[in-house]
Amino acid sequence: MTRDIRERISERLEELKKSARAASLDSGLGATAIKDILKRTDNSPTMATVEKLAIGLNVSPSWLAFEAGPKTLRVQDRGGLTNAGHLFTLARVDGAVKAGAFLRASAFDDDLGEAISAPRDPDYPAARQIAYRVDGDSMNAAKPRPIMDGDFIICAVWSDLGIRLSDGQIVVVQQTIDGGRLRERSVKAVFKAQGGWELRPQSTNAEHEAIFIPENDAPDDGREVVVLALVRFVFNNQVIR
């Protein structure tokens, strides 16, 4: 996501020649809802709020939240908007990703049944989608959009994609040590390196380290490294108050 949701809201208000108050009321929210969102830069609206705002702004929720998919919705014969639910799906939250935190393997096996709204992926429609909560600062300087502590990342499952590593990808990678008893999951940026691939943090914190994957072989230091997912969308799920 290269732009903040506030930029898309402002863009759409200008296109519609509509006031923030009118769009807020048309969304079924309080009269100052959009004004408050535009004023607050420290957090973002929840997905439930985004879906309501999309109605008042006559756009698809996926475009408003992530700048993904079609911008505007089709209009029905009766003049109403189509149900935009087909543009969204539910992604299972597969726990947290945190660089440097090796946990017992059993800690990754607890399925709490948590799911969040996610835009259907226009580039990989057949791939399963999975989400992770971001814990820590290992990607707080990522481009084009920092991935911050507390963000959610929505990903395409790597094994469903049939693609190879390439420069510029952002991926979720799992390292396993101690005979598989300890695991770490983290987000890394992919860079081509001599003889393989380097998965690097993009952080202001110099303590985070890169992971090297040889072109044809597994790491020779007893680790098992597996790419789990390709990061596709990033959003902040904090509540606007």
Side-chain angles (χ1 to χ4, degrees), residues 229-241:
L230 177 68
V231 178
R232 299 291 291 155
F233 306 103
V234 183
F235 75 93
N236 183 303
N237 202 40
Q238 294 177 351
V239 178
I240 290 288
R241 299 187 185 280

Side-chain angles (χ1 to χ4, degrees), residues 47-48 53 57 71 106 109 123 162 164 180 184 202:
M47 289 307 304
L53 288 172
L57 295 170
K71 181 175 184 178
S106 57
D109 297 332
D123 296 325
R164 295 180 178 274
E184 177 221 52
Q202 303 284 279

Side-chain angles (χ1 to χ4, degrees), residues 94-95 102-112 174 176-177 180-185:
D94 195 24
F102 279 89
L103 304 175
R104 293 193 178 277
S106 57
F108 296 93
D109 297 332
D110 295 332
D111 185 359
L112 301 178
Q174 176 175 280
T176 304
I177 60 175
R181 286 184 285 272
L182 295 175
R183 298 178 187 173
E184 177 221 52
R185 289 178 181 173

